[in-house]
């Protein structure tokens, strides 16, 4: 997945200001925007796109080529059902078919709608969304490129503003979390339905308008929300520093694709770790990303090992990861040495499994005692008890089940 500009290893860092470059003063129009997708990766597809202003809104469902993954089905209350030769997008709650268009038609209509509501905003539209992990701008840009619509889009849209980043800076001392649901409860004292992209687009815009009104009026009763010219200008000025121009988003995505390619080159090292269990996967994922973002590919690691073994790896890693703390560097080196040195790998495996071997021997002894008791007629062994070798074997099989790489 694409990490937010203010996320570090999946955790927010309130002390860091978002890295959005901001835009200069101008005549802009704000539009709340969101998308539902088949998953949370950049390669996933759009299944709903929505936009909102207080005076107009747009919403269109899209028929994707692949099915929604289970978390997306639950999150968006949608599913794809095959009826005969046809695939239908259905609402999970009502089980009714949703009217869909192709992705290219939905995107074309969306751009047309943006053009119609632009009005006299000579400097373009700012799309306001709210997302802890910065994914959907890259997904939208990728889809627009696919159908040669990006240039037309850039003539209308100036950039993107992530309401999560804004709330994280402006509400750092007043709320415990910066999700749409929490902010809706804290700022508006209401529970909002968030299963639909249109609802989230509306709430994303309302939140930045409300935060803007609080700062501009400094506690007075005047409200900065609404679609009036003065309120719009106040909110635009409030969020300008958080706006990321489309060109910068496009550039970041191009750089991100290079990072993805480097991550794929590291699959021989980390692929095995992703298949072990969730804990190993959570430990390995940040290390792989750390190497990829530092510009390190598998071929460089191979060369470093060939030339200097452990010392070669140590030199390369410390040259590239100059701003990384020692603990992470140590973890990276352990993983790399375990990959390139089979003997070291075996030792690590034996060390890690010592406690498991000891437990297994203990379980075997317990089982023998149970069998003796059974023979004497005093107790019947239970194959489902925690000490049962059958259960240990079953758990071992579960742990070896393939887990897809994130």
């Amino acid at each position: 997945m694409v990490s937010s500009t203010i996320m570090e290893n999946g955790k927010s860092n309130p002390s860091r200001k978002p890295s959005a470059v901001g835009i200069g003063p101008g005549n802009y129009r704000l539009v709340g925007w969101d998308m539902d997708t088949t998953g949370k990766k950049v390669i996933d597809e759009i299944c709903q796109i929505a936009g909102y202003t207080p005076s107009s809104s747009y919403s269109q469902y899209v028929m994707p080529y692949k099915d929604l993954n289970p978390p997306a089905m639950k999150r968006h209350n949608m599913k794809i059902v095959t009826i005969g030769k046809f695939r239908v997008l259905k609402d999970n709650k009502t089980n009714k078919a949703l009217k869909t268009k192709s992705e290219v038609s939905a995107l074309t209509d969306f751009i047309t709608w943006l053009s119609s509501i632009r009005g006299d905003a000579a400097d373009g539209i700012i799309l306001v969304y709210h997302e802890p992990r910065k994914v959907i701008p890259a997904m939208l840009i990728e889809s627009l490129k696919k159908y040669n619509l990006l240039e037309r889009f850039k003539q209308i849209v100036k950039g993107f503003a992530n309401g999560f980043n804004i709330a994280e800076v402006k509400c750092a001392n007043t709320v415990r979390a910066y999700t749409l649901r929490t902010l809706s409860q804290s700022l508006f004292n209401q529970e909002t339905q968030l299963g639909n992209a249109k609802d989230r687009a509306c709430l994303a815009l309302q939140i930045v308008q409300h935060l803007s009104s609080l700062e501009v009026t400094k506690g007075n009763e005047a409200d900065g929300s609404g679609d009036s010219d003065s309120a719009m200008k106040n909110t635009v000025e409030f969020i300008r520093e958080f706006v990321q121009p489309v060109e910068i988003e496009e550039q970041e995505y191009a750089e991100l694709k290079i990072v993805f390619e480097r991550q794929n080159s590291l699959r021989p090292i980390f692929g095995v770790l992703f298949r072990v269990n969730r804990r190993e996967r959570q430990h390995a994922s940040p290390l792989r990303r750390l190497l990829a973002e530092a510009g390190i590919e598998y071929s460089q690691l191979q060369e470093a090992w060939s030339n200097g073994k452990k010392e070669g790896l140590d030199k390369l890693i410390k040259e590239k990861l100059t701003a990384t703390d020692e603990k992470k560097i140590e973890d990276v080196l352990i993983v790399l040495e375990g990959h390139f040195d089979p003997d070291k790998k075996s030792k690590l495996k034996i060390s890690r499994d010592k406690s498991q071997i000891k437990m297994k021997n203990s379980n075997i002894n317990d089982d023998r005692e149970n069998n003796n008791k059974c023979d004497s007629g005093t107790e019947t062994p239970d194959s489902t008890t925690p000490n049962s070798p059958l259960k240990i074997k079953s758990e071992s099989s579960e742990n070896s089940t393939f887990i897809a790489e994130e």
Side-chain angles (χ1 to χ4, degrees), residues 154-275:
K154 286 161 69 174
Q155 291 173 6
I156 302 168
V157 177
K158 177 65 178 179
F160 301 91
N162 190 349
F164 185 93
N165 295 359
I166 298 169
E168 189 169 34
V169 172
K170 302 298 184 180
C171 303
N173 300 320
T174 57
V175 296
R176 56 185 173 80
Y178 311 104
T179 63
L180 281 174
R181 191 176 304 280
T182 303
L183 290 170
S184 176
Q185 293 169 346
S186 302
L187 301 178
F188 307 126
N189 195 28
Q190 64 182 22
E191 289 282 349
T192 306
Q193 296 297 322
L194 301 175
N196 187 288
K198 185 178 178 181
D199 297 331
R200 295 195 304 276
C202 173
L203 187 56
L205 182 60
Q206 289 175 344
I207 285 173
V208 297
Q209 287 177 325
H210 184 77
L211 294 177
S212 169
S213 72
L214 292 178
E215 182 155 308
V216 171
T217 61
K218 297 185 184 300
N220 294 330
E221 293 183 2
D223 190 356
S225 62
D227 201 29
S228 67
D229 290 341
S230 59
M232 181 71 72
K233 289 177 181 178
N234 288 337
T235 308
V236 167
E237 190 62 28
F238 175 72
I239 70 170
R240 270 199 309 110
E241 63 178 311
F242 297 94
V243 177
Q244 192 90 317
V246 177
E247 291 80 8
I248 301 299
E249 290 283 358
E250 191 178 0
Q251 180 183 334
E252 283 189 0
Y253 178 51
E255 295 170 355
L256 195 61
K257 286 200 288 189
I258 297 173
V259 174
F260 287 158
E261 290 171 4
R262 292 196 197 110
Q263 287 188 168
N264 286 333
S265 79
L266 298 171
R267 188 181 294 271
I269 299 171
F270 293 93
V272 176
L273 298 177
F274 277 103
R275 293 172 175 83

Side-chain angles (χ1 to χ4, degrees), residues 78 85 105 110 117 127 137 144 159 165 183 187 223-224 226 244 246 251 272 298 317 339 346 348 364 372:
M78 285 186 281
K85 296 181 180 179
S105 295
F110 181 59
I117 65 167
L127 293 180
L144 291 168
N165 295 359
L183 290 170
L187 301 178
D223 190 356
Q244 192 90 317
V246 177
Q251 180 183 334
V272 176
Y298 185 73
I317 295 303
H339 170 74
S346 299
L348 288 172
I364 292 172
N372 292 335

Side-chain angles (χ1 to χ4, degrees), residues 58 83 97 117 136 285 317 339 343 345 358 367 385:
Y58 172 85
I83 303 175
I117 65 167
I136 56 174
S285 183
I317 295 303
H339 170 74
D343 293 334
K345 187 174 182 180
K358 184 176 180 181
D367 184 59
T385 59

